[in-house]
Amino acid sequence: MKDEAKDPKDTAEGRKMTSPARTTSAPEPLLKVDGLVKHFPIKKGLLQRQVAAVQAVDGLTFDVRPGETLGVVGESGCGKSTMGRLITRLLEPTGGRVEFEGTDITHLNTGRMRPLRRDVQMIFQDPYSSLNPRHTIGTIVGMPFKLQGVKPEGGVKKTVQEMLERVGLSPEHYNRYPHEFSGGQRQRIGIARALALRPKLVVADEPVSALDVSIQAQVVNLLDDLQEELGLTYVIIAHDLSVIRHVSDRIAVMYLGKIVELADRKDLYSTPMHPYTKALLSAVPVPDPKRRGVKSERILLRGDVPSPIDPPTGCRFHTRCWKATEVCRTTEPPLAALATGHQVACHHPEDAADQAPEDTTLLSAARDAIEVVTVVAKAEETATESAAGPAGPAEPPVKPAGK
């Protein structure tokens, strides 16, 4: 990863301070999502009647401004990838509304959606299965030009070779096949394909989860550099909170198909308001040598994530929350702004005014919902052992005199 002290997003001269998301007069959102819903039906029997539904995404509302990066985090199965496929219209929404540059694209058919594919692209999670093994890299990266009927200046081959060079590959790779590349190189090929037509919005679904740590850093820095160079807007979906912190301007935290917290990067990491966000952040290791020997508390959530087929009533997190009361069990909290640019869906948020102060009796499950563990840095443990003095081997017996 980039050195934290040299991260351009944390300096006054960096892109983050001059991006459209930080200007006093905020521009119109590039992408606007309102009440987005996706339920996958479960059918049984000879007549294939619907008996239930997997509520993968259930009422998401957010927007993405031009030039910014929105990070989306959450546990596996919370609906992050489904959300990404919905806003790129790779899946048909069950309900809600998706607008791109003021145009409603929620239910556009394939023919009417095709021209918009130039402006909305996706980087897929698995670099191994997202590339056709029968096609050369030149054919794969050049396919968007063919599908859109675009004839770039200088020809497709020259443009594809320039794009390969831009993502850190050699133009000589044009005639090679996917199996000849490593995982990190394949992900770069996927990025080149997504950016071939110079889109305005790129949805990256776990772009580095299948890569080792050193390659992750290269790909993340590449996405950063391409955003500055081409003026891209990103929606990046990831499990790794460290990656999201590095690349994002704003962060949305999802739990069981819903956004529970949405805030600027700095606000979310310094003052998390939703209990679920606080539990997530407590598990993130802090790579700071100055913190060696400092004790920290980790919040361990007990129990499993409820099934999206039959989610809990009220707040969906109340079955695992240590602050849950009766109102959490019966009433779903709205995603409301409790601070400037900080939206939270919680009746009893952290570091903010209680939204249901009259309800103070905890549910019985809340008392055993978590386990707080004190984590001691290894440096402190080593220092303690050194001070005590490790037990060395026993001294050899003294030989009797004269022998």
Side-chain angles (χ1 to χ4, degrees), residues 212-258:
D212 61 64
V213 176
S214 61
I215 303 300
Q216 282 184 13
Q218 295 176 17
V219 172
V220 166
N221 291 338
L222 172 64
L223 292 173
D224 255 352
D225 295 340
L226 290 172
Q227 184 176 37
E228 294 181 3
E229 182 182 347
L230 303 177
L232 302 172
T233 302
Y234 286 139
V235 175
I236 296 184
I237 299 164
H239 285 105
D240 193 330
L241 288 163
S242 300
V243 171
I244 286 293
R245 183 174 190 173
H246 181 81
V247 301
S248 300
D249 295 299
R250 292 189 300 147
I251 300 173
V253 181
M254 286 188 64
Y255 182 80
L256 210 60
K258 289 185 174 292

Side-chain angles (χ1 to χ4, degrees), residues 13-243:
E13 296 79 19
R15 174 184 58 80
K16 190 171 183 64
M17 298 301 294
T18 58
S19 68
R22 296 292 176 182
T23 57
T24 53
S25 57
E28 286 295 317
L30 181 69
L31 177 73
K32 191 174 182 180
V33 177
D34 185 21
L36 188 62
V37 175
K38 181 60 180 179
H39 293 174
F40 294 97
I42 299 175
K43 299 180 180 181
K44 289 186 178 180
L46 184 63
L47 300 178
Q48 288 294 289
R49 291 177 177 170
Q50 181 176 338
V51 296
V54 178
Q55 301 175 32
V57 170
D58 200 15
L60 300 187
T61 299
F62 62 92
D63 56 43
V64 184
R65 306 169 192 133
E68 80 164 344
T69 299
L70 176 68
V72 183
V73 297
E75 293 175 276
S76 296
C78 71
K80 304 185 302 295
S81 296
T82 301
M83 180 271 294
R85 291 173 179 268
L86 288 171
I87 62 180
T88 54
R89 282 303 319 283
L90 296 178
L91 287 176
E92 182 74 15
T94 305
R97 183 182 178 90
V98 180
E99 290 185 7
F100 180 76
E101 291 189 318
T103 302
D104 186 359
I105 66 171
T106 313
H107 298 293
L108 290 185
N109 57 31
T110 304
R112 295 177 63 189
M113 191 64 200
R114 185 180 295 274
L116 291 173
R117 295 291 180 201
R118 293 188 61 175
D119 296 327
V120 182
Q121 286 290 323
M122 189 164 186
I123 300 171
F124 294 95
Q125 178 175 357
D126 188 359
Y128 295 90
S129 63
S130 62
L131 304 177
N132 192 327
R134 294 185 176 90
H135 289 172
T136 64
I137 302 310
T139 302
I140 290 171
V141 180
M143 188 61 68
F145 296 105
K146 181 179 179 181
L147 294 175
Q148 292 289 337
V150 176
K151 296 181 179 180
E153 186 177 349
V156 173
K157 182 175 181 179
K158 180 182 178 182
T159 304
V160 169
Q161 288 178 328
E162 289 175 352
M163 184 57 69
L164 290 177
E165 198 167 7
R166 182 170 279 160
V167 298
L169 298 174
S170 170
E172 299 174 358
H173 294 156
Y174 183 88
N175 291 316
R176 294 188 184 180
Y177 288 86
H179 72 271
E180 301 179 60
F181 295 89
S182 67
Q185 289 175 317
R186 293 185 197 187
Q187 191 62 284
R188 290 169 183 264
I189 294 167
I191 293 172
R193 177 178 58 184
L195 302 183
L197 294 173
R198 300 290 184 92
K200 297 176 182 177
L201 175 67
V202 176
V203 178
D205 183 12
E206 302 275 7
V208 296
S209 65
L211 309 177
D212 61 64
V213 176
S214 61
I215 303 300
Q216 282 184 13
Q218 295 176 17
V219 172
V220 166
N221 291 338
L222 172 64
L223 292 173
D224 255 352
D225 295 340
L226 290 172
Q227 184 176 37
E228 294 181 3
E229 182 182 347
L230 303 177
L232 302 172
T233 302
Y234 286 139
V235 175
I236 296 184
I237 299 164
H239 285 105
D240 193 330
L241 288 163
S242 300
V243 171

Side-chain angles (χ1 to χ4, degrees), residues 259-320:
I259 292 178
V260 297
E261 189 162 3
L262 177 61
D264 289 345
R265 173 184 66 161
K266 193 171 294 185
D267 292 342
L268 187 92
Y269 278 83
S270 60
T271 55
M273 292 187 181
H274 198 282
Y276 177 63
T277 308
K278 187 171 183 178
L280 282 182
L281 294 180
S282 73
V284 178
V286 181
D288 186 357
K290 296 178 182 178
R291 291 178 56 87
R292 286 179 181 172
V294 176
K295 295 182 180 180
S296 60
E297 290 186 344
R298 180 175 177 184
I299 302 173
L300 302 179
L301 299 176
R302 291 177 173 170
D304 298 325
V305 180
S307 170
I309 299 175
D310 185 24
T313 58
C315 175
R316 297 193 173 187
F317 186 60
H318 83 263
T319 58
R320 306 172 74 195

